[in-house]
């Protein structure tokens, strides 16, 4: 049971282009120098996240590395977020050169500004 709490399961993923577009158009955004959160409150108890890293940030190796680090930060800290949220986390260029601690700082800074953290 403990492993399932900290895993990144299919129910936690936003995958389709349509679901990303819904969060972009109907949700609100919280901006940082290193990344952007788009948040859309939903019915239900799952927290879903979509990760977006544009081609301008680097080759496929760099983009996949950035997504892996973003996914890891979300996986470790998803229990600290309020339920029923759809989030799209968009990376900016500065995030490509950052370490895992910086990803965590950015994640918590944006989550706090967006009001996603539990009390």
């Amino acid at each position: 049971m403990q492993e399932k709490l900290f895993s990144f399961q299919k129910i936690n993923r936003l995958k389709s282009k349509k679901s990303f577009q819904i969060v972009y158009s109907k949700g609100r955004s919280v901006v940082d120098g290193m990344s952007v959160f788009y948040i859309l409150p939903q019915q239900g108890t799952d927290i879903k996240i979509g990760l977006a890293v544009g081609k301008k940030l680097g080759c496929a190796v760099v983009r996949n590395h950035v997504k892996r680090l973003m996914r890891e930060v979300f996986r470790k800290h998803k229990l600290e977020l309020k339920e029923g949220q759809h989030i799209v986390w968009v990376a900016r260029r500065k995030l490509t050169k950052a370490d895992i601690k910086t990803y965590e700082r950015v994640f918590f800074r944006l989550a706090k500004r967006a009001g996603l953290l539990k009390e």
Side-chain angles (χ1 to χ4, degrees):
M1 182 68 181
Q2 188 70 2
E3 280 186 29
K4 288 220 180 226
L5 291 177
F6 293 104
S7 65
F8 188 69
Q9 300 172 334
K10 284 187 178 183
I11 59 168
N12 295 124
R13 296 180 190 149
L14 282 178
K15 291 185 278 190
S16 68
K17 183 176 181 177
K18 184 177 181 181
S19 59
F20 272 74
Q21 292 300 327
I22 289 171
V23 175
Y24 285 139
S25 62
K26 295 184 180 179
R28 60 189 175 88
S29 64
V30 180
V31 181
D32 189 304
M34 294 187 152
S35 62
V36 180
F37 265 13
Y38 291 92
I39 301 110
L40 182 64
Q42 292 287 8
Q43 301 294 325
T45 60
D46 2 325
I47 302 166
K48 293 190 179 222
I49 190 164
L51 307 172
V53 183
K55 287 188 177 181
K56 290 182 180 181
L57 299 187
C59 63
V61 174
V62 173
R63 295 193 310 267
N64 287 333
H65 180 70
V66 170
K67 284 191 274 188
R68 271 195 305 273
L69 291 174
M70 292 164 80
R71 199 168 25 245
E72 179 67 11
V73 169
F74 173 74
R75 184 190 68 79
K76 284 178 19 183
H77 301 292
K78 71 180 177 183
L79 295 176
E80 300 171 32
L81 300 176
K82 291 180 182 174
E83 296 177 342
Q85 304 290 328
H86 286 192
I87 304 165
V88 175
W89 188 1
V90 181
R92 289 189 169 173
R93 187 171 299 279
K94 289 181 183 179
L95 210 55
T96 60
K97 296 174 179 66
D99 62 340
I100 189 77
K101 293 292 182 191
T102 307
Y103 279 80
E104 288 180 344
R105 272 198 319 269
V106 168
F107 180 80
F108 279 115
R109 189 176 336 150
L110 289 173
K112 185 177 180 181
R113 280 190 205 163
L116 294 177
L117 296 176
K118 289 181 180 175
E119 300 295 318

